[in-house]
Amino acid sequence: MKKTTTFILLCLMTYCAVCTGQTEHKTNKKQTIAKSKKEDTLEQLNLLDEQTKIYGQLFELAGSGEENPLGGATNYLELLEKIDLPAEQKELLYEQYKIYDLSLDPTKKDSLRIMFDKMMTRAIEKSKNDH
């Protein structure tokens, strides 16, 4: 009786394994391309803003209160406004943030290219003036 029960149980498990192993979903090439294009148009998560939020929460949990180095900023731009840096450095960080933010949205590639070109042109001119 034990042998028969074990054999039937083994056959049942094998049958289930074979049935679940055959669930391969076949999609045609056009559907795959359309799906990838749809995913490419989605804006990605801005990690600088998320880091600012996480660090702000971390300092709050640590009990920094009024001495919070982030000053209660909820995104990176607010942090740039609140920190004590020279205006030139703040402007550079702001431009870098804008370039990074534009790079996350695939629909704004032209704006990204223009902004990056301007930034590179200014850097080249500054380099020539320094020499």
Side-chain angles (χ1 to χ4, degrees):
M1 183 71 175
K2 273 187 168 181
K3 289 182 182 180
T4 307
T5 307
T6 305
F7 180 71
I8 292 173
L9 186 61
L10 184 61
C11 289
L12 183 64
M13 288 175 43
T14 305
Y15 177 74
C16 289
V18 169
C19 289
T20 58
Q22 298 294 326
T23 60
E24 181 180 325
H25 181 61
K26 295 181 180 180
T27 58
N28 63 15
K29 202 172 194 178
K30 290 180 182 178
Q31 289 175 340
T32 307
I33 292 171
K35 186 177 180 182
S36 66
K37 284 183 181 180
K38 183 179 179 183
E39 290 173 357
D40 286 347
T41 59
L42 297 176
E43 187 172 346
Q44 297 175 352
L45 184 66
N46 190 326
L47 294 178
L48 290 173
D49 289 340
E50 292 301 314
Q51 275 183 329
T52 305
K53 288 178 192 174
I54 290 172
Y55 285 139
Q57 292 171 356
L58 181 68
F59 285 118
E60 286 177 17
L61 289 174
S64 63
E66 296 293 323
E67 298 173 2
N68 188 342
L70 299 181
T74 57
N75 62 27
Y76 190 75
L77 292 178
E78 287 180 13
L79 177 65
L80 284 178
E81 291 174 7
K82 293 180 180 186
I83 59 176
D84 186 27
L85 289 174
E88 183 178 306
Q89 190 172 6
K90 278 187 179 182
E91 184 178 327
L92 178 65
L93 289 173
Y94 178 76
E95 287 177 3
Q96 289 174 350
Y97 172 80
K98 283 298 182 188
I99 287 175
Y100 172 70
D101 193 43
L102 286 173
S103 72
L104 298 176
D105 190 357
T107 60
K108 297 181 181 177
K109 294 294 182 184
D110 292 334
S111 301
L112 172 66
R113 185 179 310 123
I114 292 169
M115 192 167 194
F116 185 74
D117 287 343
K118 286 180 183 178
M119 188 174 162
M120 288 301 291
T121 304
R122 272 187 267 142
I124 290 170
E125 289 175 3
K126 184 179 178 183
S127 176
K128 285 181 181 178
N129 291 338
D130 289 344
H131 293 293

